[in-house]
Amino acid sequence: MGIAKDGASTWKFDLALALLAALAALAVSAYAGFPQLANAHGDNDSLLQLVQVRDLLAGQGWFDMHQYRMGPEGGFIMHWSRLLDAPLALGIVGTSALTGNMALAEKIVQVAWPALQLWLSVFFIIRAARNFAGERAVVPAIIVGGAALYYLGIFSPGALDHHNIQLMLTLASLSLLLDAPTRGWAALPSGICAALTIAIGMESAPYAGALGVLVAMLFLTGGVGERLIARDFGLGFAGVSAVVFATTVPASAWSQAQCDTFSIVQFVVAAIGGAGLAAIASIRALNHTRQRRMISLGLLGLALGAVVVVLFPQCLAMPYANLDPRIKTLWLDHIDEAQSLYKLILADPARVAARYATPLLAIILMALRLHRGDWRRQDSIVGALLVVAFIVSAWEVRASTFSIAFAVIPLCAWIAKWRQRAETSSSRGVALRMAAVWLVSVNAVWTGAAAAASIAFDTSKPAVDQGDVDATCERKATFAMLGQQPQTTVLAISNLGSPILAYTKNRVFAGPYHRNIAGNLLALDAFMGSAAAARTIARDHHVGLVAVCRGNPETRLLTYEAPEGFLASLAGGSVPEWLEPVTETQGSQLELYRVRPGS
């Protein structure tokens, strides 16, 4: 494979290869007719992200992060960032100017945005693999990396939430940090990307933090060779954090500590950490010997710890420590991506292979490299990030998105090693081993095997062909009749909150968001209490419609937990006198009941 040797050419070549991979994925979706645009498959975050962007375009203030159509009257404040709303809104405005059709512009952005993130993510994986293992790792990076990202599902058309851009920015920071020794300019954007991924969402804080610690440790042990890298990374990290704080946090909230979104907490930590690292790397008196670097960096670490413990101790608690117990039991404990590895092993052991096999295999490969004694700078960076991501994924399965992506790099190096052996040997055994290495390195193989095993061993209930029925109420068409009703407040389960907002003009109480405590409790009180209690809530909060989706897992959970409750009775066909069925929806997947006037 003839790949140009100079840096500029390899960058262009890698960009082209990544573009081909992204276009191939886009072609597959296009051939299927972009079904994700008509069926979000329960991706509530992407639907609500679109609603947030629509609200911004409709005139809602830049600093006003309320979601007014969800929760009790007045809504609640979302913990998301305008940094994602801005490019999506600009894309829709620009595309609508060209097409003259806002709805079409939305669809184009829903397709183009995740495709762009996939292109850049594959590109940074290719760059990281090239830095880690040379040219022979490039082709594996395209195939193994492209397949891993594609089957994660976060780059599918319609995926507008923060997960894909956070992964892309983290991969960018990693790749640029690997590039930094030979390209001096790369450390600054690496720090910028690390800061941006935290600013968009706190889920990526462990990886951005790990990158910062790695830069400091490499500076400690590497001395002069890592000094400029540490300086520029720190400046990029601190500088962008300051810009983000000034442009996304209103002055009235500058003193308000928020642990789940970018606020004074994250800004102070980023500013002290980034600026402190840059200062230590810039002042010779603080860095010209290893001992002085150790003392300086140690004091910086102690200062950061003291600031968090003294000023922001609340952020040391578990993320959902203050969540209402009922919401934790009836919502959080049933979110697939929030489960731990232990719970996943007990509930769905076959799925463990899909989420943990390739990261664990990559960790074993890194451990063997360490045991052999041929450890390098690249190994420290990739290995540390991989281990951090794996540990976080053992706590919450959603972090496996990062560990699967990081695992691609050492797996590509493994494949590259066997490709080299195969090129110099005609042995059939070497060829078979190389084929086996390819197979076990592709996460989709483990996913397919896990799915097959789950079907084969799950004999608790027979497989039922649902055909074209939207039993769980996830398709846009399912909400068409609701969209034709007069605008009102709809009493519905939290799983239907985001679709109702995205597909209709109505408002709801419940939605799967940890800040919407009051709204979710209202819905739980109504559905799990008596019909009389539900009537009181409906009257006091101006509810006009009640929506019931019998096939949704949340409906089944609530009816199981409260078999005598209002939802269970309604789903069982017992309609109280203060409700009347919307005739056109009876017998459909989403049944509507209108509150009788004056009831």
Side-chain angles (χ1 to χ4, degrees):
M1 186 176 181
I3 299 178
K5 299 298 182 182
D6 61 287
S9 295
T10 58
W11 271 72
K12 293 176 182 177
F13 190 75
D14 293 346
L15 267 175
L17 290 175
L19 179 60
L20 289 175
L23 290 175
L26 190 62
V28 171
S29 296
Y31 181 77
F34 298 116
Q36 300 93 338
L37 300 186
N39 186 348
H41 294 287
D43 186 0
N44 290 304
D45 285 359
S46 290
L47 291 177
L48 194 63
Q49 184 67 59
L50 181 59
V51 172
Q52 294 280 103
V53 172
R54 287 173 180 169
D55 292 344
L56 180 64
L57 291 175
Q60 186 165 323
W62 173 262
F63 292 112
D64 184 2
M65 292 303 297
H66 279 82
Q67 181 41 251
Y68 290 101
R69 291 200 291 138
M70 184 177 284
E73 290 78 357
F76 72 103
I77 301 175
M78 283 297 295
H79 61 289
W80 292 350
S81 172
R82 287 292 191 208
L83 291 180
L84 180 52
D85 295 343
L88 293 174
L90 288 173
I92 291 173
V93 169
T95 308
S96 65
L98 296 174
T99 63
N101 187 318
M102 184 65 79
L104 177 60
E106 278 189 2
K107 291 181 179 179
I108 292 173
V109 170
Q110 283 180 288
V111 172
W113 178 258
L116 173 63
Q117 305 312 312
L118 178 61
W119 175 23
L120 294 175
S121 296
V122 174
F123 168 68
F124 287 119
I125 281 182
I126 292 173
R127 293 301 305 172
R130 183 190 288 277
N131 269 293
F132 192 81
E135 289 183 11
R136 286 188 178 85
V138 171
V139 171
I142 300 166
I143 298 172
V144 177
L149 296 179
Y150 178 80
Y151 286 104
L152 284 174
I154 63 173
F155 298 96
S156 300
L160 299 182
D161 66 10
H162 49 278
H163 298 114
N164 50 33
I165 190 172
Q166 283 184 294
L167 179 57
M168 184 277 291
L169 287 168
T170 306
L171 288 170
S173 185
L174 165 62
S175 175
L176 290 164
L177 194 56
L178 292 173
D179 252 338
T182 56
R183 292 176 175 83
W185 55 266
L188 181 66
S190 177
I192 290 173
C193 290
L196 286 175
T197 190
I198 292 180
I200 290 173
M202 291 305 297
E203 295 97 324
S204 52
Y207 321 115
L211 285 166
V213 172
L214 279 167
V215 170
M217 292 300 98
L218 290 170
F219 173 43
L220 172 64
T221 58
V224 176
E226 298 286 342
R227 184 180 68 83
L228 295 181
I229 294 174
R231 183 198 67 185
D232 292 350
F233 183 95
L235 288 174
F237 193 78
V240 167
S241 296
V243 172
V244 168
F245 183 71
T247 57
T248 65
V249 180
S252 59
W254 280 4
S255 61
Q256 296 176 12
Q258 305 287 346
C259 305
D260 60 351
T261 190
F262 199 86
S263 68
I264 187 66
V265 180
Q266 294 77 13
F267 168 59
V268 167
V269 171
I272 293 175
L277 180 61
I280 293 170
S282 301
I283 301 172
R284 189 174 185 277
L286 300 177
N287 67 49
H288 77 279
T289 67
R290 177 175 294 191
Q291 184 180 21
R292 293 203 176 192
R293 292 195 297 274
M294 181 180 295
I295 293 172
S296 301
L297 292 172
L299 290 175
L300 176 60
L302 288 174
L304 283 172
V307 165
V308 173
V309 170
V310 174
L311 299 181
F312 315 116
Q314 65 272 35
C315 294
L316 297 175
M318 295 294 285
Y320 303 112
N322 296 323
L323 202 61
D324 184 276
R326 284 183 296 166
I327 295 178
K328 183 180 185 301
T329 301
L330 297 171
W331 169 62
L332 184 64
D333 289 349
H334 297 275
I335 297 178
D336 285 345
E337 65 177 17
Q339 302 308 304
S340 67
L341 173 58
Y342 174 72
K343 288 185 178 180
L344 198 62
I345 291 173
L346 295 179
D348 190 1
R351 191 166 160 232
V352 172
R355 285 291 181 172
Y356 295 93
T358 54
L360 183 58
L361 181 57
I363 288 174
I364 293 172
L365 291 172
M366 297 300 294
L368 291 174
R369 182 183 288 272
L370 178 63
H371 179 71
R372 289 194 299 267
D374 53 352
W375 199 256
R376 308 161 300 164
R377 177 183 187 274
Q378 300 98 307
D379 300 309
S380 297
I381 297 172
V382 174
L385 271 183
L386 178 59
V387 169
V388 168
F390 190 85
I391 292 172
V392 178
S393 72
W395 173 55
E396 274 196 344
V397 70
R398 78 178 79 196
S400 60
T401 297
F402 288 86
S403 60
I404 288 170
F406 298 153
V408 169
I409 300 167
L411 290 172
C412 287
W414 190 32
I415 296 172
K417 179 180 177 181
W418 280 99
R419 289 184 70 202
Q420 184 177 15
R421 289 183 182 179
E423 289 172 3
T424 57
S425 172
S426 57
S427 168
R428 184 179 178 183
V430 170
L432 288 174
R433 289 188 185 94
M434 183 182 71
V437 167
W438 270 101
L439 279 175
V440 299
S441 297
V442 177
N443 195 67
V445 172
W446 293 97
T447 303
S454 181
I455 294 172
F457 293 105
D458 185 7
T459 58
S460 58
K461 52 187 176 183
V464 178
D465 183 8
Q466 295 287 346
D468 200 42
V469 175
D470 182 23
T472 54
C473 303
E474 295 176 344
R475 296 178 186 169
K476 183 177 181 179
T478 300
F479 296 84
M481 187 57 64
L482 176 57
Q484 295 174 18
Q485 305 302 309
Q487 186 173 334
T488 186
T489 296
V490 180
L491 176 59
I493 57 175
S494 66
N495 277 348
L496 302 185
S498 294
I500 289 174
L501 265 59
Y503 301 141
T504 78
K505 297 296 184 182
N506 298 297
R507 74 180 315 279
V508 296
F509 293 142
Y513 303 100
H514 68 274
R515 284 194 174 190
N516 184 29
I517 296 175
N520 287 330
L521 288 177
L522 267 178
L524 289 177
D525 289 341
F527 280 136
M528 301 184 74
S530 66
R535 179 181 185 176
T536 301
I537 291 172
R539 182 193 63 219
D540 293 347
H541 297 276
H542 313 292
V543 172
L545 289 167
V546 178
V548 178
C549 181
R550 290 180 175 84
N552 193 283
E554 186 179 354
T555 300
R556 295 198 296 268
L557 172 66
L558 296 184
T559 55
Y560 173 80
E561 294 290 339
E564 303 299 323
F566 168 61
L567 179 59
S569 298
L570 195 58
S574 177
V575 182
E577 75 282 355
W578 55 277
L579 290 179
E580 59 180 2
V582 177
T583 307
E584 300 88 339
T585 67
Q586 295 309 292
S588 66
Q589 281 65 54
L590 185 66
E591 292 190 339
L592 302 178
Y593 299 86
R594 186 180 295 110
V595 177
R596 294 181 185 274
S599 65

